[in-house]
Amino acid sequence: MCVVCGCGDAKRNMPVAAGAGPASADDTLRLDFGAGAARVSVPGMSQARAIKLEADVLGANQRLADRNRAHFAAHRVSAYNLVSSPGAGKTSLLCATIGLLQRRAPGLPLAVIEGDQQTSHDAERIRASGAAAVQVNTGKGCHLDARMVAAAFERLPLHAAAHHDAASEIGALLLIENVGNLVCPALWDLGEQAKVAILSVTEGDDKPAKYPDMFAAAGLMVINKIDLLPHVDFDLQRCIDFARRVNPDIEVMLLSARTGDGLERWVDWLLGERPGAGGDSPLDRRVRDVQAHLRPVLEKAG
Ligand code: MG
């Protein structure tokens, strides 16, 4: 349970009125429990108390995340935090990524931290794909925190070496698969270089609007399962427009972990090879997306 998502278990609370001004017919059909100062409603807890608790908890996590970030830098480890709903294809993408990285960057130390409430299924899949993995089970917890990642990192072979001999800019790569949840992991810094929000075309194309905190926190949105585009009603441009509305700087990538389409570009990104990154405007990026990426994919999808 965490105060961030309001999943406490006290007994009473009331919604804050939706919208300002005279109630419209629409307002009577919408209850907004996030309109208070804390932007979260926890039964039995005041808004001031919720803010204080969140600041304390996230502040403690931030100090540990900063320590992780320094620790990763000391080992020349680039760490990425993969977040999504359950079923968006995080583990499948990681398995495909490991295979491609072994061909593209043989010798690059690589490891995965897997977050799930229960089981070691995903860590077993990762190990079968050829990378070291530590499974973190969170029990009732709905996200990984910086302390969990620190404990997992110490158990990985990455931790045993400094990776100073590697010729590439990146000494080693650590991929963290967070618990499937588009809400809570948005606010928990793990010490990563960037959050990667993964969305699949079998989900709603308005998820960036429904879960804005996650897409605001992410540096990259990966749209997965594009091989299924001809079979689903997923509007790519609408999805990207929603994401850019909450985060004008978010990068966008389309791929299919199953077919391998788009995976080279994703691996380029992980390896720090990002043509055009930095310096160009959100509009430039959008034009580049459409010209260089969306159009061929849309043509292919028919
Ligand atoms: Mg998984």
Side-chain angles (χ1 to χ4, degrees):
M1 296 198 297
C2 77
V3 69
V4 178
C5 73
C7 51
D9 59 357
K11 289 188 178 134
R12 64 186 164 76
N13 210 354
M14 294 291 286
V16 179
S24 68
D26 188 48
D27 284 344
T28 64
L29 298 177
R30 185 169 73 94
L31 296 173
D32 188 351
F33 284 86
R39 294 187 55 232
V40 65
S41 173
V42 183
M45 187 183 294
S46 71
Q47 290 286 291
R49 174 78 181 133
I51 290 170
K52 168 85 168 62
L53 202 57
E54 183 175 305
D56 288 350
V57 169
L58 290 181
N61 183 73
Q62 192 61 54
R63 287 188 285 281
L64 294 170
D66 290 343
R67 195 184 299 171
N68 284 352
R69 195 165 279 112
H71 197 182
F72 296 153
H75 286 268
R76 293 190 67 231
V77 169
S78 292
Y80 295 100
N81 180 3
L82 276 60
V83 291
S84 80
S85 305
K90 294 186 296 303
T91 314
S92 298
L93 175 59
L94 283 174
C95 291
T97 301
I98 290 162
L100 186 52
L101 274 169
Q102 285 167 341
R103 292 195 294 282
R104 285 276 308 273
L108 176 72
L110 166 69
V112 175
I113 295 173
E114 276 292 337
D116 280 301
Q117 286 195 308
Q118 298 290 340
T119 85
S120 290
H121 293 174
D122 284 359
E124 287 162 15
R125 286 177 64 191
I126 296 297
R127 288 187 204 109
S129 299
V134 169
Q135 179 79 51
V136 176
N137 284 145
T138 58
K140 286 188 175 181
C142 46
H143 56 268
L144 292 176
D145 64 35
R147 174 202 46 169
M148 296 171 185
V149 167
F153 182 58
E154 287 180 5
R155 285 163 177 75
L156 285 168
L158 285 189
H159 184 247
H163 311 303
H164 282 301
D165 331 330
S168 72
E169 196 178 313
I170 295 175
L173 200 53
L174 173 63
L175 301 174
I176 304 166
E177 179 181 337
N178 218 313
V179 178
N181 177 353
L182 270 181
V183 184
C184 308
L187 295 182
W188 294 79
D189 187 359
L190 305 179
E192 71 270 6
Q193 201 158 308
K195 285 184 175 65
V196 177
I198 299 166
L199 187 61
S200 63
V201 303
T202 53
E203 303 169 61
D205 50 28
D206 58 350
K207 271 203 172 159
K210 287 181 173 174
Y211 303 96
D213 288 348
M214 184 58 83
F215 293 86
L220 169 67
M221 173 171 73
V222 168
I223 301 179
N224 189 20
K225 308 188 189 180
I226 57 166
D227 52 308
L228 298 179
L229 272 173
H231 310 291
V232 294
D233 295 323
F234 185 95
D235 186 329
L236 279 174
Q237 193 59 62
R238 184 169 184 257
C239 178
I240 293 168
D241 286 346
F242 278 131
R244 290 266 160 80
R245 214 172 287 173
V246 297
N247 181 353
D249 294 326
I250 198 167
E251 292 184 66
V252 178
M253 206 169 283
L254 310 184
L255 56 79
S256 166
R258 193 175 74 86
T259 65
D261 272 353
L263 277 187
E264 293 281 356
R265 187 166 172 246
W266 156 242
V267 166
D268 288 344
W269 191 93
L270 287 175
L271 294 174
E273 299 159 14
R274 301 171 199 173
D280 56 356
S281 71
L283 180 63
D284 291 336
R285 289 180 182 207
R286 185 180 156 147
V287 168
R288 198 174 64 238
D289 279 342
V290 172
Q291 290 181 339
H293 206 69
L294 291 183
R295 194 163 294 150
V297 170
L298 290 169
E299 281 167 4
K300 192 172 175 183

